[in-house]
PDB file of all heavy atoms in Angstrom:
ATOM      1  N   GLY A   1      44.693 103.377  78.713  1.00  0.00           N
ATOM      2  CA  GLY A   1      43.564 104.018  79.334  1.00  0.00           C
ATOM      3  C   GLY A   1      44.000 105.267  80.069  1.00  0.00           C
ATOM      4  O   GLY A   1      45.165 105.656  80.044  1.00  0.00           O
ATOM      5  N   SER A   2      43.037 105.876  80.733  1.00  0.00           N
ATOM      6  CA  SER A   2      43.312 107.112  81.468  1.00  0.00           C
ATOM      7  C   SER A   2      44.175 106.855  82.674  1.00  0.00           C
ATOM      8  O   SER A   2      44.058 105.828  83.339  1.00  0.00           O
ATOM      9  CB  SER A   2      41.972 107.734  81.901  1.00  0.00           C
ATOM     10  OG  SER A   2      42.195 108.936  82.578  1.00  0.00           O
ATOM     11  N   THR A   3      45.063 107.797  82.970  1.00  0.00           N
ATOM     12  CA  THR A   3      45.959 107.660  84.097  1.00  0.00           C
ATOM     13  C   THR A   3      45.934 108.896  84.961  1.00  0.00           C
ATOM     14  O   THR A   3      45.572 109.983  84.505  1.00  0.00           O
ATOM     15  CB  THR A   3      47.402 107.396  83.651  1.00  0.00           C
ATOM     16  OG1 THR A   3      47.868 108.545  82.935  1.00  0.00           O
ATOM     17  CG2 THR A   3      47.492 106.171  82.749  1.00  0.00           C
ATOM     18  N   PHE A   4      46.368 108.732  86.205  1.00  0.00           N
ATOM     19  CA  PHE A   4      46.477 109.858  87.115  1.00  0.00           C
ATOM     20  C   PHE A   4      47.867 110.495  86.985  1.00  0.00           C
ATOM     21  O   PHE A   4      48.007 111.654  86.674  1.00  0.00           O
ATOM     22  CB  PHE A   4      46.237 109.401  88.543  1.00  0.00           C
ATOM     23  CG  PHE A   4      46.475 110.484  89.563  1.00  0.00           C
ATOM     24  CD1 PHE A   4      45.667 111.607  89.593  1.00  0.00           C
ATOM     25  CD2 PHE A   4      47.493 110.382  90.481  1.00  0.00           C
ATOM     26  CE1 PHE A   4      45.883 112.630  90.518  1.00  0.00           C
ATOM     27  CE2 PHE A   4      47.731 111.396  91.398  1.00  0.00           C
ATOM     28  CZ  PHE A   4      46.923 112.510  91.423  1.00  0.00           C
ATOM     29  N   SER A   5      48.884 109.709  87.197  1.00  0.00           N
ATOM     30  CA  SER A   5      50.252 110.197  87.107  1.00  0.00           C
ATOM     31  C   SER A   5      51.037 109.305  86.172  1.00  0.00           C
ATOM     32  O   SER A   5      50.800 108.092  86.120  1.00  0.00           O
ATOM     33  CB  SER A   5      50.896 110.193  88.495  1.00  0.00           C
ATOM     34  OG  SER A   5      52.275 110.519  88.406  1.00  0.00           O
ATOM     35  N   MET A   6      51.943 109.892  85.423  1.00  0.00           N
ATOM     36  CA  MET A   6      52.837 109.107  84.562  1.00  0.00           C
ATOM     37  C   MET A   6      54.249 109.590  84.760  1.00  0.00           C
ATOM     38  O   MET A   6      54.480 110.743  85.175  1.00  0.00           O
ATOM     39  CB  MET A   6      52.428 109.234  83.091  1.00  0.00           C
ATOM     40  CG  MET A   6      51.038 108.696  82.802  1.00  0.00           C
ATOM     41  SD  MET A   6      50.643 108.687  81.037  1.00  0.00           S
ATOM     42  CE  MET A   6      51.557 107.233  80.487  1.00  0.00           C
ATOM     43  N   GLY A   7      55.196 108.724  84.489  1.00  0.00           N
ATOM     44  CA  GLY A   7      56.567 109.144  84.673  1.00  0.00           C
ATOM     45  C   GLY A   7      57.564 108.219  83.998  1.00  0.00           C
ATOM     46  O   GLY A   7      57.194 107.196  83.415  1.00  0.00           O
ATOM     47  N   TRP A   8      58.792 108.635  84.093  1.00  0.00           N
ATOM     48  CA  TRP A   8      59.920 107.878  83.542  1.00  0.00           C
ATOM     49  C   TRP A   8      60.933 107.583  84.631  1.00  0.00           C
ATOM     50  O   TRP A   8      61.239 108.451  85.459  1.00  0.00           O
ATOM     51  CB  TRP A   8      60.601 108.649  82.411  1.00  0.00           C
ATOM     52  CG  TRP A   8      59.758 108.795  81.190  1.00  0.00           C
ATOM     53  CD1 TRP A   8      58.934 109.843  80.872  1.00  0.00           C
ATOM     54  CD2 TRP A   8      59.639 107.863  80.123  1.00  0.00           C
ATOM     55  NE1 TRP A   8      58.312 109.616  79.676  1.00  0.00           N
ATOM     56  CE2 TRP A   8      58.721 108.403  79.183  1.00  0.00           C
ATOM     57  CE3 TRP A   8      60.195 106.619  79.848  1.00  0.00           C
ATOM     58  CZ2 TRP A   8      58.377 107.739  78.004  1.00  0.00           C
ATOM     59  CZ3 TRP A   8      59.851 105.958  78.686  1.00  0.00           C
ATOM     60  CH2 TRP A   8      58.942 106.524  77.767  1.00  0.00           C
ATOM     61  N   TYR A   9      61.436 106.386  84.626  1.00  0.00           N
ATOM     62  CA  TYR A   9      62.487 105.935  85.511  1.00  0.00           C
ATOM     63  C   TYR A   9      63.553 105.295  84.642  1.00  0.00           C
ATOM     64  O   TYR A   9      63.289 104.906  83.498  1.00  0.00           O
ATOM     65  CB  TYR A   9      61.959 104.936  86.541  1.00  0.00           C
ATOM     66  CG  TYR A   9      60.982 105.564  87.491  1.00  0.00           C
ATOM     67  CD1 TYR A   9      59.664 105.848  87.101  1.00  0.00           C
ATOM     68  CD2 TYR A   9      61.339 105.871  88.807  1.00  0.00           C
ATOM     69  CE1 TYR A   9      58.759 106.443  87.971  1.00  0.00           C
ATOM     70  CE2 TYR A   9      60.429 106.453  89.683  1.00  0.00           C
ATOM     71  CZ  TYR A   9      59.149 106.734  89.264  1.00  0.00           C
ATOM     72  OH  TYR A   9      58.266 107.320  90.113  1.00  0.00           O
ATOM     73  N   ARG A  10      64.761 105.157  85.172  1.00  0.00           N
ATOM     74  CA  ARG A  10      65.801 104.518  84.377  1.00  0.00           C
ATOM     75  C   ARG A  10      66.657 103.634  85.272  1.00  0.00           C
ATOM     76  O   ARG A  10      66.773 103.847  86.478  1.00  0.00           O
ATOM     77  CB  ARG A  10      66.663 105.553  83.671  1.00  0.00           C
ATOM     78  CG  ARG A  10      67.521 106.417  84.607  1.00  0.00           C
ATOM     79  CD  ARG A  10      68.217 107.520  83.790  1.00  0.00           C
ATOM     80  NE  ARG A  10      69.098 108.331  84.636  1.00  0.00           N
ATOM     81  CZ  ARG A  10      69.732 109.414  84.218  1.00  0.00           C
ATOM     82  NH1 ARG A  10      69.574 109.836  82.943  1.00  0.00           N
ATOM     83  NH2 ARG A  10      70.502 110.091  85.036  1.00  0.00           N
ATOM     84  N   GLN A  11      67.249 102.644  84.629  1.00  0.00           N
ATOM     85  CA  GLN A  11      68.123 101.721  85.342  1.00  0.00           C
ATOM     86  C   GLN A  11      69.334 101.400  84.494  1.00  0.00           C
ATOM     87  O   GLN A  11      69.208 100.849  83.401  1.00  0.00           O
ATOM     88  CB  GLN A  11      67.377 100.443  85.716  1.00  0.00           C
ATOM     89  CG  GLN A  11      68.153  99.529  86.628  1.00  0.00           C
ATOM     90  CD  GLN A  11      67.292  98.443  87.243  1.00  0.00           C
ATOM     91  OE1 GLN A  11      66.200  98.151  86.766  1.00  0.00           O
ATOM     92  NE2 GLN A  11      67.771  97.853  88.322  1.00  0.00           N
ATOM     93  N   ALA A  12      70.500 101.779  84.995  1.00  0.00           N
ATOM     94  CA  ALA A  12      71.754 101.467  84.341  1.00  0.00           C
ATOM     95  C   ALA A  12      72.277 100.148  84.885  1.00  0.00           C
ATOM     96  O   ALA A  12      71.915  99.738  85.990  1.00  0.00           O
ATOM     97  CB  ALA A  12      72.761 102.594  84.590  1.00  0.00           C
ATOM     98  N   PRO A  13      73.125  99.472  84.134  1.00  0.00           N
ATOM     99  CA  PRO A  13      73.670  98.187  84.595  1.00  0.00           C
ATOM    100  C   PRO A  13      74.338  98.314  85.958  1.00  0.00           C
ATOM    101  O   PRO A  13      75.161  99.212  86.188  1.00  0.00           O
ATOM    102  CB  PRO A  13      74.686  97.835  83.510  1.00  0.00           C
ATOM    103  CG  PRO A  13      74.195  98.529  82.294  1.00  0.00           C
ATOM    104  CD  PRO A  13      73.598  99.801  82.772  1.00  0.00           C
ATOM    105  N   GLY A  14      73.970  97.424  86.870  1.00  0.00           N
ATOM    106  CA  GLY A  14      74.572  97.423  88.175  1.00  0.00           C
ATOM    107  C   GLY A  14      74.074  98.479  89.131  1.00  0.00           C
ATOM    108  O   GLY A  14      74.585  98.619  90.249  1.00  0.00           O
ATOM    109  N   LYS A  15      73.072  99.258  88.706  1.00  0.00           N
ATOM    110  CA  LYS A  15      72.555 100.328  89.546  1.00  0.00           C
ATOM    111  C   LYS A  15      71.062 100.128  89.806  1.00  0.00           C
ATOM    112  O   LYS A  15      70.380  99.391  89.096  1.00  0.00           O
ATOM    113  CB  LYS A  15      72.804 101.689  88.884  1.00  0.00           C
ATOM    114  CG  LYS A  15      74.259 102.060  88.740  1.00  0.00           C
ATOM    115  CD  LYS A  15      74.426 103.470  88.237  1.00  0.00           C
ATOM    116  CE  LYS A  15      75.898 103.873  88.179  1.00  0.00           C
ATOM    117  NZ  LYS A  15      76.060 105.280  87.713  1.00  0.00           N
ATOM    118  N   GLN A  16      70.591 100.827  90.810  1.00  0.00           N
ATOM    119  CA  GLN A  16      69.162 100.766  91.128  1.00  0.00           C
ATOM    120  C   GLN A  16      68.373 101.636  90.179  1.00  0.00           C
ATOM    121  O   GLN A  16      68.887 102.598  89.608  1.00  0.00           O
ATOM    122  CB  GLN A  16      68.929 101.241  92.576  1.00  0.00           C
ATOM    123  CG  GLN A  16      69.450 100.295  93.627  1.00  0.00           C
ATOM    124  CD  GLN A  16      69.034 100.711  95.027  1.00  0.00           C
ATOM    125  OE1 GLN A  16      68.883 101.899  95.316  1.00  0.00           O
ATOM    126  NE2 GLN A  16      68.830  99.746  95.891  1.00  0.00           N
ATOM    127  N   ARG A  17      67.102 101.270  90.017  1.00  0.00           N
ATOM    128  CA  ARG A  17      66.232 102.092  89.207  1.00  0.00           C
ATOM    129  C   ARG A  17      66.040 103.451  89.885  1.00  0.00           C
ATOM    130  O   ARG A  17      65.836 103.516  91.112  1.00  0.00           O
ATOM    131  CB  ARG A  17      64.867 101.403  89.010  1.00  0.00           C
ATOM    132  CG  ARG A  17      63.991 102.028  87.969  1.00  0.00           C
ATOM    133  CD  ARG A  17      62.772 101.154  87.679  1.00  0.00           C
ATOM    134  NE  ARG A  17      63.159  99.855  87.097  1.00  0.00           N
ATOM    135  CZ  ARG A  17      62.284  98.996  86.615  1.00  0.00           C
ATOM    136  NH1 ARG A  17      60.994  99.289  86.600  1.00  0.00           N
ATOM    137  NH2 ARG A  17      62.699  97.841  86.135  1.00  0.00           N
ATOM    138  N   GLU A  18      66.104 104.515  89.094  1.00  0.00           N
ATOM    139  CA  GLU A  18      65.997 105.857  89.688  1.00  0.00           C
ATOM    140  C   GLU A  18      64.966 106.697  88.950  1.00  0.00           C
ATOM    141  O   GLU A  18      64.678 106.479  87.764  1.00  0.00           O
ATOM    142  CB  GLU A  18      67.345 106.577  89.641  1.00  0.00           C
ATOM    143  CG  GLU A  18      67.870 106.870  88.255  1.00  0.00           C
ATOM    144  CD  GLU A  18      69.141 107.730  88.279  1.00  0.00           C
ATOM    145  OE1 GLU A  18      69.610 108.113  89.359  1.00  0.00           O
ATOM    146  OE2 GLU A  18      69.658 107.990  87.183  1.00  0.00           O
ATOM    147  N   LEU A  19      64.461 107.664  89.652  1.00  0.00           N
ATOM    148  CA  LEU A  19      63.496 108.595  89.081  1.00  0.00           C
ATOM    149  C   LEU A  19      64.157 109.480  88.027  1.00  0.00           C
ATOM    150  O   LEU A  19      65.245 110.016  88.252  1.00  0.00           O
ATOM    151  CB  LEU A  19      62.918 109.489  90.181  1.00  0.00           C
ATOM    152  CG  LEU A  19      62.145 110.713  89.718  1.00  0.00           C
ATOM    153  CD1 LEU A  19      60.800 110.307  89.139  1.00  0.00           C
ATOM    154  CD2 LEU A  19      61.956 111.697  90.883  1.00  0.00           C
ATOM    155  N   VAL A  20      63.464 109.621  86.909  1.00  0.00           N
ATOM    156  CA  VAL A  20      63.864 110.616  85.915  1.00  0.00           C
ATOM    157  C   VAL A  20      62.919 111.821  86.005  1.00  0.00           C
ATOM    158  O   VAL A  20      63.348 112.933  86.252  1.00  0.00           O
ATOM    159  CB  VAL A  20      63.846 110.025  84.493  1.00  0.00           C
ATOM    160  CG1 VAL A  20      64.189 111.112  83.466  1.00  0.00           C
ATOM    161  CG2 VAL A  20      64.852 108.861  84.391  1.00  0.00           C
ATOM    162  N   ALA A  21      61.630 111.545  85.807  1.00  0.00           N
ATOM    163  CA  ALA A  21      60.647 112.629  85.874  1.00  0.00           C
ATOM    164  C   ALA A  21      59.237 112.045  85.983  1.00  0.00           C
ATOM    165  O   ALA A  21      58.984 110.952  85.487  1.00  0.00           O
ATOM    166  CB  ALA A  21      60.736 113.520  84.631  1.00  0.00           C
ATOM    167  N   THR A  22      58.368 112.783  86.631  1.00  0.00           N
ATOM    168  CA  THR A  22      56.968 112.420  86.696  1.00  0.00           C
ATOM    169  C   THR A  22      56.111 113.627  86.373  1.00  0.00           C
ATOM    170  O   THR A  22      56.566 114.786  86.499  1.00  0.00           O
ATOM    171  CB  THR A  22      56.565 111.885  88.074  1.00  0.00           C
ATOM    172  OG1 THR A  22      56.772 112.917  89.053  1.00  0.00           O
ATOM    173  CG2 THR A  22      57.362 110.663  88.458  1.00  0.00           C
ATOM    174  N   ILE A  23      54.883 113.350  85.944  1.00  0.00           N
ATOM    175  CA  ILE A  23      53.942 114.433  85.654  1.00  0.00           C
ATOM    176  C   ILE A  23      52.543 113.974  86.021  1.00  0.00           C
ATOM    177  O   ILE A  23      52.149 112.860  85.711  1.00  0.00           O
ATOM    178  CB  ILE A  23      54.043 114.842  84.160  1.00  0.00           C
ATOM    179  CG1 ILE A  23      53.127 116.045  83.864  1.00  0.00           C
ATOM    180  CG2 ILE A  23      53.726 113.680  83.212  1.00  0.00           C
ATOM    181  CD1 ILE A  23      53.405 116.695  82.511  1.00  0.00           C
ATOM    182  N   SER A  24      51.821 114.838  86.692  1.00  0.00           N
ATOM    183  CA  SER A  24      50.448 114.525  87.078  1.00  0.00           C
ATOM    184  C   SER A  24      49.503 114.829  85.917  1.00  0.00           C
ATOM    185  O   SER A  24      49.882 115.474  84.936  1.00  0.00           O
ATOM    186  CB  SER A  24      50.055 115.350  88.298  1.00  0.00           C
ATOM    187  OG  SER A  24      49.891 116.714  87.926  1.00  0.00           O
ATOM    188  N   ARG A  25      48.280 114.405  86.053  1.00  0.00           N
ATOM    189  CA  ARG A  25      47.301 114.662  85.016  1.00  0.00           C
ATOM    190  C   ARG A  25      47.101 116.176  84.831  1.00  0.00           C
ATOM    191  O   ARG A  25      46.828 116.635  83.728  1.00  0.00           O
ATOM    192  CB  ARG A  25      45.969 113.980  85.347  1.00  0.00           C
ATOM    193  CG  ARG A  25      44.953 114.059  84.241  1.00  0.00           C
ATOM    194  CD  ARG A  25      43.763 113.151  84.494  1.00  0.00           C
ATOM    195  NE  ARG A  25      42.834 113.212  83.356  1.00  0.00           N
ATOM    196  CZ  ARG A  25      42.969 112.518  82.248  1.00  0.00           C
ATOM    197  NH1 ARG A  25      44.004 111.665  82.129  1.00  0.00           N
ATOM    198  NH2 ARG A  25      42.113 112.619  81.280  1.00  0.00           N
ATOM    199  N   GLY A  26      47.274 116.905  85.903  1.00  0.00           N
ATOM    200  CA  GLY A  26      47.113 118.346  85.839  1.00  0.00           C
ATOM    201  C   GLY A  26      48.334 119.093  85.340  1.00  0.00           C
ATOM    202  O   GLY A  26      48.297 120.305  85.139  1.00  0.00           O
ATOM    203  N   GLY A  27      49.460 118.345  85.161  1.00  0.00           N
ATOM    204  CA  GLY A  27      50.642 118.964  84.595  1.00  0.00           C
ATOM    205  C   GLY A  27      51.750 119.289  85.579  1.00  0.00           C
ATOM    206  O   GLY A  27      52.785 119.840  85.185  1.00  0.00           O
ATOM    207  N   SER A  28      51.570 118.958  86.846  1.00  0.00           N
ATOM    208  CA  SER A  28      52.639 119.182  87.815  1.00  0.00           C
ATOM    209  C   SER A  28      53.775 118.199  87.561  1.00  0.00           C
ATOM    210  O   SER A  28      53.535 117.006  87.368  1.00  0.00           O
ATOM    211  CB  SER A  28      52.111 119.002  89.232  1.00  0.00           C
ATOM    212  OG  SER A  28      51.130 119.973  89.503  1.00  0.00           O
ATOM    213  N   THR A  29      55.000 118.713  87.572  1.00  0.00           N
ATOM    214  CA  THR A  29      56.147 117.888  87.245  1.00  0.00           C
ATOM    215  C   THR A  29      57.134 117.772  88.398  1.00  0.00           C
ATOM    216  O   THR A  29      57.190 118.620  89.285  1.00  0.00           O
ATOM    217  CB  THR A  29      56.887 118.453  86.009  1.00  0.00           C
ATOM    218  OG1 THR A  29      57.316 119.786  86.311  1.00  0.00           O
ATOM    219  CG2 THR A  29      55.975 118.472  84.792  1.00  0.00           C
ATOM    220  N   ASN A  30      57.918 116.711  88.321  1.00  0.00           N
ATOM    221  CA  ASN A  30      58.976 116.475  89.300  1.00  0.00           C
ATOM    222  C   ASN A  30      60.124 115.800  88.553  1.00  0.00           C
ATOM    223  O   ASN A  30      59.905 114.898  87.744  1.00  0.00           O
ATOM    224  CB  ASN A  30      58.479 115.547  90.423  1.00  0.00           C
ATOM    225  CG  ASN A  30      59.540 115.319  91.477  1.00  0.00           C
ATOM    226  OD1 ASN A  30      60.217 116.234  91.889  1.00  0.00           O
ATOM    227  ND2 ASN A  30      59.683 114.085  91.919  1.00  0.00           N
ATOM    228  N   TYR A  31      61.357 116.262  88.798  1.00  0.00           N
ATOM    229  CA  TYR A  31      62.531 115.741  88.089  1.00  0.00           C
ATOM    230  C   TYR A  31      63.587 115.234  89.053  1.00  0.00           C
ATOM    231  O   TYR A  31      63.778 115.775  90.139  1.00  0.00           O
ATOM    232  CB  TYR A  31      63.168 116.854  87.232  1.00  0.00           C
ATOM    233  CG  TYR A  31      62.322 117.310  86.070  1.00  0.00           C
ATOM    234  CD1 TYR A  31      61.452 118.369  86.203  1.00  0.00           C
ATOM    235  CD2 TYR A  31      62.408 116.654  84.835  1.00  0.00           C
ATOM    236  CE1 TYR A  31      60.664 118.780  85.136  1.00  0.00           C
ATOM    237  CE2 TYR A  31      61.633 117.067  83.764  1.00  0.00           C
ATOM    238  CZ  TYR A  31      60.759 118.127  83.926  1.00  0.00           C
ATOM    239  OH  TYR A  31      59.991 118.541  82.858  1.00  0.00           O
ATOM    240  N   GLY A  32      64.313 114.220  88.602  1.00  0.00           N
ATOM    241  CA  GLY A  32      65.493 113.796  89.329  1.00  0.00           C
ATOM    242  C   GLY A  32      66.578 114.853  89.186  1.00  0.00           C
ATOM    243  O   GLY A  32      66.657 115.549  88.159  1.00  0.00           O
ATOM    244  N   ASP A  33      67.419 114.969  90.198  1.00  0.00           N
ATOM    245  CA  ASP A  33      68.430 116.033  90.202  1.00  0.00           C
ATOM    246  C   ASP A  33      69.366 115.940  89.006  1.00  0.00           C
ATOM    247  O   ASP A  33      69.799 116.979  88.478  1.00  0.00           O
ATOM    248  CB  ASP A  33      69.233 115.970  91.496  1.00  0.00           C
ATOM    249  CG  ASP A  33      68.441 116.418  92.708  1.00  0.00           C
ATOM    250  OD1 ASP A  33      67.414 117.108  92.528  1.00  0.00           O
ATOM    251  OD2 ASP A  33      68.835 116.076  93.842  1.00  0.00           O
ATOM    252  N   SER A  34      69.662 114.740  88.559  1.00  0.00           N
ATOM    253  CA  SER A  34      70.672 114.599  87.508  1.00  0.00           C
ATOM    254  C   SER A  34      70.168 115.027  86.133  1.00  0.00           C
ATOM    255  O   SER A  34      70.971 115.176  85.192  1.00  0.00           O
ATOM    256  CB  SER A  34      71.128 113.142  87.447  1.00  0.00           C
ATOM    257  OG  SER A  34      70.064 112.298  87.143  1.00  0.00           O
ATOM    258  N   VAL A  35      68.869 115.221  85.977  1.00  0.00           N
ATOM    259  CA  VAL A  35      68.334 115.567  84.662  1.00  0.00           C
ATOM    260  C   VAL A  35      67.711 116.963  84.614  1.00  0.00           C
ATOM    261  O   VAL A  35      67.287 117.405  83.546  1.00  0.00           O
ATOM    262  CB  VAL A  35      67.309 114.516  84.167  1.00  0.00           C
ATOM    263  CG1 VAL A  35      67.915 113.125  84.210  1.00  0.00           C
ATOM    264  CG2 VAL A  35      66.017 114.572  84.953  1.00  0.00           C
ATOM    265  N   LYS A  36      67.628 117.610  85.749  1.00  0.00           N
ATOM    266  CA  LYS A  36      67.023 118.955  85.781  1.00  0.00           C
ATOM    267  C   LYS A  36      67.735 119.897  84.824  1.00  0.00           C
ATOM    268  O   LYS A  36      68.955 119.948  84.781  1.00  0.00           O
ATOM    269  CB  LYS A  36      67.065 119.509  87.196  1.00  0.00           C
ATOM    270  CG  LYS A  36      66.071 118.868  88.149  1.00  0.00           C
ATOM    271  CD  LYS A  36      66.172 119.467  89.543  1.00  0.00           C
ATOM    272  CE  LYS A  36      65.192 118.806  90.501  1.00  0.00           C
ATOM    273  NZ  LYS A  36      65.322 119.332  91.884  1.00  0.00           N
ATOM    274  N   GLY A  37      66.943 120.617  84.044  1.00  0.00           N
ATOM    275  CA  GLY A  37      67.502 121.555  83.098  1.00  0.00           C
ATOM    276  C   GLY A  37      67.854 120.944  81.742  1.00  0.00           C
ATOM    277  O   GLY A  37      68.139 121.685  80.778  1.00  0.00           O
ATOM    278  N   ARG A  38      67.849 119.619  81.641  1.00  0.00           N
ATOM    279  CA  ARG A  38      68.184 118.957  80.380  1.00  0.00           C
ATOM    280  C   ARG A  38      66.997 118.183  79.804  1.00  0.00           C
ATOM    281  O   ARG A  38      66.854 118.097  78.589  1.00  0.00           O
ATOM    282  CB  ARG A  38      69.365 118.005  80.568  1.00  0.00           C
ATOM    283  CG  ARG A  38      70.630 118.684  81.057  1.00  0.00           C
ATOM    284  CD  ARG A  38      71.804 117.698  81.054  1.00  0.00           C
ATOM    285  NE  ARG A  38      71.587 116.570  81.958  1.00  0.00           N
ATOM    286  CZ  ARG A  38      71.643 115.307  81.587  1.00  0.00           C
ATOM    287  NH1 ARG A  38      71.910 114.982  80.344  1.00  0.00           N
ATOM    288  NH2 ARG A  38      71.446 114.333  82.478  1.00  0.00           N
TER     289      ARG A  38
END
């Protein structure tokens, strides 16, 4: 169904879940530092 914000998170073995990227319905984005530019 319709959503307001969507995003991706990741979790490596033995580590906490971390932000990868999010995007609002209007297209505003936010990235984790480790993935910016890639």
